[in-house]
Amino acid sequence: MTTHLLPRTFSLFSLLVAVSIGRTAEPAPFPKEAQAFLAKHCLACHGEKVQKAAVAFHTYRDEAVLLKDRKLWQRTLAVLASGEMPPPARKQPVPAETAAFTRAVTAVFERADRNAKPDPGRVTVRRLNRTEYNNTIRDLVGVDFQPAEDFPSDDVGHGFDNIGDVLTLSPVLMERYLAAAESVMARAITVDPPKPPQRHLSAMYTEPAAANVPLRNGYRVVTNKAGGSHVETGPIHTSYQVPAEGEYRFRCRVYAEGDGPVPVSILACGKTLPRPASDDAIGKLSGQSVTGLKPFVLVATVDVKARTAKDAQTIEVTVPANLGLTRMAVAMHRPSAGGKPATLFLQSLALEGPLDTRPLSQLKLLACAPGKTRAEQTREVMERFASRAYRRPATRDEVDRLVALVERTTARGERWEAAVQLAMQAVLVSPKFLFRVELDDRPQEPKPHPIDDYQLASRLSYFLWSSMPDQELFDLAAKRQLAAQAPAQVRRMLRDPRAKALVDNFAMQWLQLRRLRTHAADPQLFPRFNEHLRTAMLRETELFFGEIVREDRSALDLIDGKYTYLNGHLARHYGIRDTAGNSHGERKPRPGGQPIGEEFVRVALPDGGPRGGLLTQASVLTVTSNPTRTSPVKRGRWVLEQLLGTPPPPPPPNVPELAEGAKAQLTGTLRQRMEQHRLNPACASCHAKMDALGFAFENFDAVGAWRTTDGTFPIDPSGTLPGGRSFKGPAELKAILREQKDLFARCLTEKLLTYALGRGLEYYDRPAVDAIVATLANNDYRFSVLATEIATSMPFRMRRGKDQTE
Amino acid sequence: MIPLVSRRTVLRGLGAAVALPWLEIMGPVASWAAAGNGIARAPNRLAVLYVPNGKNMADWTPTREGAGFALTPILEPLRPVQDELLVLTNLTADKARPHGDGGGDHARALAAFLTGAQPRKTDGTDIRAGVSVDQVAAARLADQTRLPSLEIGCEHGAMAGNCDSGYSCVYSSTMSWRSATQPLPKEVNPKLVFERLFGGDRDASRSRRDQTRQSILDFVRDDSLDLSRKLGATDRRKLDEYFSSLRDLELRIARAAKLPPVQAPAGLKVTGIPSAYQDHVRLMCDLMVLAFQADITRVCTFVLANEGSNRPYREINVPEGHHDLSHHGNDPSKKAKIRDINRFHVSQLAYLLTKLKAIREGDGTLLDHCMIAYGSGNSDGNAHNHEELPILVAGRGCGTLKTGRHVKFPKETPLTNLWVSLLDRMRVQVDRLGDSTGALTGLGG
């Protein structure tokens, strides 16, 4: 009995659930008010009788039908917001009416989205953009010279230049890829290494050159005789500046006079000696001055047997690598107890090397386990390179083909190095390298499933570093442990210097600061704006954002953080005197301030002062200005769009002229002129908000310097936002903005997620964004939490199943 | 007999605003002439130059129709080549209009200009416009020249953000579309354009390099054949871009082996982007002239500034941004500055036309064998309207155009009808291009 009961109860239960779900899933009617709006303003042209543009609004009676036509409704709301519909000849809805209708329609979709089945979306295969190409080549090949400099610029979509759908590949770019692969590999591998450089030095140019080391027939005369008329001369030496690490060969030509063989030691001084000579060993060497050469290593000790200049002998020793070589010396030993002093005659010194003139990249790329045949070496080298270049293990077939290419090339008579070079060029123009291909390992799986660990490694590395994964990520991927360790890896990666890419590429694009590079402030009006100031402006924001990433600060600091980074140039521009943020002529300066020199330093900003946060940085203030004047509209729009994620709709098409002819010219202060502008109801609703936000920053001129008048008009930075909140100036406005932290956090999350995924966000990403924003709020908006949450979010980790593909 | 002057001496003047007919003395570098049998006829070339933000139309449009029209203030710099002009009034880029897509007239103006297609409103997902007229010509003429086409400009694609009301920046910075989904980025660095025209090396080492490249391309194609099959539709389209670019390059290598050698003008050194905008524009013009004269390509598009560009023109005392000014609100002083910018651009066109006219070719001048279209996809920058566009065509198109006239068409005549007519003159017949309704009548007189 009981064995039957359980399944039965279970099925009954499931039935109940099904019924109750069925009941709640009964399509909710489209709200009456919304239907009334349609009837009043739309149905005449898009209803039962007339269906212009094949739009029939009368068919949308319940939510289920609405949800099927998401695109149409998005467009409907857009044309309504822009004022394009209803057409001008028709009666226009009042703003409140439109707003209520918009809310009703939006609510239908939002409700549905929150309860929808999970959908990780589709990421289009991404071509490496210029930055990613440069960085990937640097990390893959080990040559860092910006080979993508000559590539056509990458197009921007959704605010970023790493969006798969927008990154195209033209014939011009293909040609540049070939040329870049050629020059990259030419630098990385030298097929015919040049001869090692030689440095020959006659004895007369050696040190020391004092009277007690006479020169006779071109030979330095050195003695180890203590006291008396001769003083011990000590070692003969000379300094070297060597271009690269590696083994060197040292030679000197000598003969000696004394009883029996005369022992001579060769010393090498360096900055990075692994095992300097011990005091014991040094004690055996002749001359007080030998201690002055410390630290050094004893490279070799050789007996000099030649007795005349005619049969002088050459001492030749190999100097080991990695000493940080700075100086070579030749030293005599003290006479053995009771032994007679000896004299050494030294004609010349010579240093050759580094003996291996192949570049470091070549040694790394061509490194092989010892004892392999050529064929095995080819396979090892090509497999390693292709696996790193494709960012996943190269398949057997792929390696076979590459090995065959190398062998075909050597069969034509090319050197092995040249053949490998050619095969590596081929890898660098392969779509498997140029694109981030994410093949589905389970294409038949109907439901969303995780991308594989290698794909995850690349998503992480290109997100945080704009480059390929490093060995640690590859190793974890190989062990299939990366997904589990993703949060720890994200934190490690954020601390890595390569995370600067997140500032350069994400932050600079999000804040639209790349435009500052070509911004042309009028030199007559703003003589202080020059290349130094432009660079300093960008640098300030980079360092400020960099601290938030590196030190894991609250993202809210971006709004009003009371610290920044300045150099002397920018500090003067801001009127700031020292690192405590004191301004010139401060009555009661805060203590502890250091003067600001040419290097960038961290500066604390006082609470009551005008600066703090992105909005009062010269970079943002300048890039949102016109060449000759500030633009409160652009500044206001920047706040709404970049910080709050609530961009105003585009201006309605064909904005009517204010009035006829020149009489309608706008006059007065900029604010008065803008107010006249806002008399036009078509402009008012959006400009009321944009302008109020923008005018709060009017105390900062078009290059971000402080001012109290605009021409002859005094500045009034106060304002009132729609909804009645008023503020006296930028500080109060920033406080209001900080209260909008949910909006700000959502905006930042959406931008960073867009950048991380390389695609625009869709309605089905809403649950992921909601979850990230909630976690962020519970963790003081710390930046690492944001990055980690994105890296572990469904759209980042998962791919669509078979049933979801479009 | 053409006097022998050292090329080195003469060509050094390239781009340095030197008014020398220096190209004339380079002799028969053109492959059509070198390959000919004595009766070869010069081929027809097509170039389109684009300027943004519309025009001050009152100062652009001539009042009288027909021959002997009076030049307007903006067209005044073209006086020396007035006989070579066809000013065309009443052409419309209908697909630059919103048609329910709201704002974004700048983005649409450029994207629809040569395509006659409504650009899809997207900030990045699934960008789409249409094939542009230059690429239609390029595809048909590809086997006759080294380069199917040349796309040049003076401003990079926008550096950040959504460029115009929800349209990806690609729309407002790209005129040439190889397919509806593949915009062709323009080259703005004169040095790179020069290298593209003439290659970096001498012919001998180039052919060896081409062989190596061919072996790499062979390998890569074979190695990635299976890749496309495993990808979804959108990904496959991206890979197709790759493979078609690869094929393009192979064809180019094959053609280079077949066509008579093109000699890079000796001693000519083209460096990076000149700091003065006018020098930059003129250097690009010089390169276009060189490409046409040497018959390296017969199709070129040149975007003088991106749509919506806010570049100031201090060289003519206009420190304000162009786009900012174009919303002139009927302020006469702003309108005057817009006119000045328009005239400045037109004087660059005059430079190009004068150069082309100074070069003797076959039975006439190089300009006789060109069709140089010039204009904007916006009419009045303040109103963002796309009818009555400012358009002119210069050059006689191998005798197919009767120039020296101002022609008015019926209102709302599609701009694409002009493109169809010009294609026809390059022996490229198409039934339709975008929203075209037929060929224009009256261009040949």
Side-chain angles (χ1 to χ4, degrees), chain A residues 333-350:
Chain A
H333 289 215
R334 291 178 193 281
S336 51
K340 280 191 184 163
T343 308
L344 177 72
F345 297 85
L346 190 144
Q347 188 194 31
S348 60
L349 307 181

Side-chain angles (χ1 to χ4, degrees), chain B residues 206-232:
Chain B
R206 197 193 312 168
S207 81
R208 198 172 60 234
R209 189 198 62 197
D210 282 352
Q211 276 173 17
T212 313
R213 287 187 169 185
Q214 185 59 56
S215 70
I216 289 177
L217 296 178
D218 286 343
F219 173 86
V220 171
R221 192 173 354 79
D222 294 347
D223 183 56
S224 33
L225 278 179
D226 55 335
L227 194 57
S228 285
R229 268 186 289 119
K230 296 181 191 158
L231 294 171

Side-chain angles (χ1 to χ4, degrees), chain A residues 156 158 169 175-176 429 515, chain B residues 123 160 168 182 187 242 252:
Chain A
V156 171
H158 303 290
L169 202 161
E175 214 175 308
R176 300 273 147 82
V429 293
R515 282 183 183 161
Chain B
D123 193 6
S168 162
Q182 190 182 5
E187 184 62 78
Y242 174 91
R252 189 176 169 194

Side-chain angles (χ1 to χ4, degrees), chain A residues 84 125 156-158 165-169 175-176 178 182 401 422 429 431-432 515 520-523 626 657, chain B residues 100 102 123-126 160 168 182 187 196 212-213 216 223 235 238 241-242 245 249 252 314 319 324 382-383:
Chain A
E84 205 178 323
V125 58
V156 171
H158 303 290
D165 273 350
V166 181
L167 288 167
T168 57
L169 202 161
E175 214 175 308
R176 300 273 147 82
L178 268 173
E182 284 162 10
R401 280 193 290 266
L422 179 84
V429 293
K432 297 166 189 175
R515 282 183 183 161
D522 186 49
N626 284 321
E657 302 296 338
Chain B
D123 193 6
T125 310
D126 298 330
S168 162
Q182 190 182 5
E187 184 62 78
R196 191 161 151 70
T212 313
R213 287 187 169 185
I216 289 177
D223 183 56
D235 288 349
K238 288 284 156 193
E241 284 177 14
Y242 174 91
S245 296
L249 214 54
R252 189 176 169 194
R314 274 187 220 104
D324 194 26
N382 195 43

Side-chain angles (χ1 to χ4, degrees), chain B residues 90-107:
Chain B
N90 277 342
L91 297 178
T92 297
D94 177 59
K95 297 299 181 187
R97 290 170 172 156
H99 294 292
D101 284 346
D105 291 275
H106 290 285

Side-chain angles (χ1 to χ4, degrees), chain A residues 621-640:
Chain A
L621 292 163
T622 304
V623 90
T624 54
S625 294
N626 284 321
T628 53
R629 60 168 179 88
T630 61
S631 169
V633 179
K634 283 188 186 172
R635 286 180 179 174
R637 186 178 145 187
W638 190 90
V639 172
L640 291 175

Side-chain angles (χ1 to χ4, degrees), chain A residues 674-744:
Chain A
M674 292 303 300
E675 276 162 7
Q676 291 173 40
H677 194 201
R678 284 207 301 275
L679 291 177
N680 182 340
C683 310
S685 63
C686 297
H687 277 276
K689 203 175 194 177
M690 275 194 286
D691 300 358
L693 289 167
F695 274 112
F697 299 94
E698 271 297 275
N699 275 127
F700 301 96
D701 71 12
V703 292
W706 179 260
R707 63 177 183 178
T708 50
T709 57
D710 179 8
T712 52
F713 302 108
I715 301 278
D716 171 14
S718 68
T720 305
L721 293 171
R725 289 289 298 266
S726 50
F727 54 86
K728 288 208 198 77
E732 286 188 19
L733 177 64
K734 277 190 273 183
I736 296 175
L737 290 177
R738 205 185 152 100
E739 288 170 25
Q740 310 275 341
K741 53 185 174 238
D742 260 6
L743 270 184
F744 171 72

